[in-house]
Amino acid sequence: QQYYLKRRRRLAACNHSTITLYNTLRWALLVCIEMWLWALTLASPWSCAEWRLNLEFGGTGDVTTTTTSVSPRVVLPTQVLIESKTQPVLEQFMLGSGKSDLVTTLEDPTFISMSGEQTVRMGDHGGWKILSRRTGKAGDAGELRIWLDMLDDFSKNELEISARRIYLTTNCWRKQEFDVGSKRLKPLKLDYQNYQRQIEDRLQHETGDRRLDGTNLVDTAMGTIDMGILVTKRDEARFRLMEAELKLPNSDDVISGTWPGSTEPLFIAKGRIEIKETQLLSEIYRPVGSWTATPLEDHVEYEYYEDNNDENDIG
């Protein structure tokens, strides 16, 4: 009897250990599955992303002003959701088949004018598309294109803008292309900065090139020639830098964030706003302003301040 009692106790202890181990493994498995699903969702290349598009109008294009001393401007911070769903509206601006993905307006923009706070209604949906780089060089920019509908006319001081469809274009890079492009741009920046520093050093009052003081005509002539050569090299280096910045990323003007299409962040430069016009039986896109983008997810919020220093402004 004691033998069977001991055996039952051992079996009970064994069963308890087995159940405990089973529960522990099941809990660990569930945690792993939940973490895997969370990571999969987080890293999905088709995840939506919230951005603020800061649309700045003023001075040119579809703008009517009565003064030429100061170009008035209006900044419309527009919150949108960038989605990977197909936009049913075809738009020639997107090239190819005209297809694009969906941009959903989350909040209509407002600005301050003589009449107080004004709201500009935007269309519920627009479209976006990323065009791959057209060159064979790694690091060159692709092109981000967005179209949006403005449903209201609006004005500020002497500036008036009519309701219409607007088109946004800018350079963009995924992370890998951005890194390569930054490396290609760096030596061009250093080359220009080196020549600029040499010029400034020669013009220093205390330690500069004494030949430029004008005390000796021959020395002054030789110093002027050397300075002219240096200025020419500086200008050539600046031209090469400016030409490269048309397609390579300048980190000072680029912001990054999550964008559908890849798990890599998208780097977006400052771009231009255009409108479509018909001239001589052909359609053209005319610039009317500029725009920047700010990611709203996993990003520290900041206030976007508009340059409202006009004397007639209130608020």
Side-chain angles (χ1 to χ4, degrees):
Q1 186 177 3
Q2 291 181 354
Y3 169 77
Y4 286 111
L5 182 60
K6 291 181 180 180
R7 184 175 180 183
R8 287 181 59 184
R9 289 176 178 174
R10 285 197 297 268
L11 289 175
C14 183
N15 289 337
H16 177 73
S17 299
T18 303
I19 293 173
T20 301
L21 178 61
Y22 170 77
N23 290 334
T24 302
L25 292 175
R26 185 179 65 174
W27 177 83
L29 181 61
L30 290 175
V31 170
C32 290
I33 292 176
E34 288 180 0
M35 293 182 63
W36 177 77
L37 291 175
W38 175 80
L40 185 64
T41 302
L42 185 66
S44 172
W46 313 118
S47 299
C48 301
E50 293 185 21
W51 285 74
R52 180 171 60 237
L53 306 181
N54 307 304
L55 312 176
E56 180 179 336
F57 300 86
T60 59
D62 191 36
V63 176
T64 303
T65 64
T66 58
T67 177
T68 57
S69 58
V70 178
S71 297
R73 58 193 288 267
V74 172
V75 178
L76 303 180
T78 307
Q79 293 191 22
V80 297
L81 181 67
I82 308 298
E83 304 182 67
S84 57
K85 299 177 183 178
T86 300
Q87 162 63 264
V89 177
L90 299 182
E91 172 54 60
Q92 180 185 1
F93 177 70
M94 295 304 179
L95 302 182
S97 62
K99 293 182 179 180
S100 59
D101 289 323
L102 201 62
V103 176
T104 300
T105 302
L106 299 178
E107 184 176 339
D108 292 326
T110 61
F111 69 98
I112 303 298
S113 72
M114 284 290 294
S115 303
E117 185 176 76
Q118 294 190 35
T119 299
V120 180
R121 292 180 303 124
M122 307 293 289
D124 292 337
H125 301 292
W128 70 271
K129 186 176 185 178
I130 295 178
L131 305 178
S132 302
R133 56 184 169 88
R134 300 179 182 179
T135 67
K137 292 185 178 180
D140 283 358
E143 187 176 47
L144 172 61
R145 294 192 171 198
I146 300 174
W147 63 264
L148 300 169
D149 289 326
M150 292 195 311
L151 305 182
D152 292 330
D153 300 339
F154 59 93
S155 62
K156 176 183 174 183
N157 297 341
E158 295 83 14
L159 180 146
E160 298 178 357
I161 302 177
S162 62
R164 61 169 69 230
R165 179 165 291 182
I166 58 175
Y167 304 91
L168 316 181
T169 59
T170 189
N171 288 341
C172 66
W173 302 262
R174 291 294 182 183
K175 181 65 169 62
Q176 185 176 0
E177 293 288 339
F178 177 83
D179 291 341
V180 174
S182 297
K183 291 179 181 178
R184 286 178 53 197
L185 189 65
K186 184 176 181 180
L188 298 177
K189 277 187 175 182
L190 294 177
D191 191 32
Y192 166 70
Q193 293 170 356
N194 178 49
Y195 285 121
Q196 181 64 29
R197 184 170 55 254
Q198 290 184 49
I199 292 175
E200 293 173 355
D201 290 344
R202 291 197 179 192
L203 294 177
Q204 286 289 335
H205 179 70
E206 298 293 337
T207 60
D209 191 343
R210 299 272 68 85
R211 296 179 302 171
L212 301 176
D213 292 342
T215 56
N216 184 290
L217 292 179
V218 176
D219 289 345
T220 300
M222 296 302 296
T224 302
I225 292 174
D226 291 344
M227 178 62 74
I229 294 174
L230 193 57
V231 169
T232 299
K233 291 182 178 180
R234 189 275 311 271
D235 291 343
E236 291 174 349
R238 179 168 56 185
F239 176 78
R240 290 192 296 269
L241 177 61
M242 293 174 61
E243 188 177 35
E245 286 179 340
L246 296 176
K247 53 188 177 182
L248 297 178
N250 185 346
S251 56
D252 297 334
D253 301 323
V254 175
I255 194 165
S256 65
T258 302
W259 195 282
S262 173
T263 55
E264 292 185 350
L266 185 70
F267 291 76
I268 302 176
K270 183 177 182 179
R272 64 183 181 274
I273 304 174
E274 299 175 322
I275 59 174
K276 185 188 297 185
E277 291 185 339
T278 301
Q279 292 185 0
L280 300 176
L281 303 179
S282 63
E283 291 183 337
I284 64 170
Y285 294 93
R286 181 162 58 87
V288 296
S290 62
W291 69 283
T292 58
T294 304
L296 299 181
E297 293 182 344
D298 300 326
H299 183 77
V300 177
E301 286 287 348
Y302 66 92
E303 285 291 327
Y304 189 88
Y305 290 100
E306 182 180 343
D307 185 12
N308 290 330
N309 295 325
D310 299 325
E311 294 182 357
N312 294 329
D313 281 358
I314 64 173

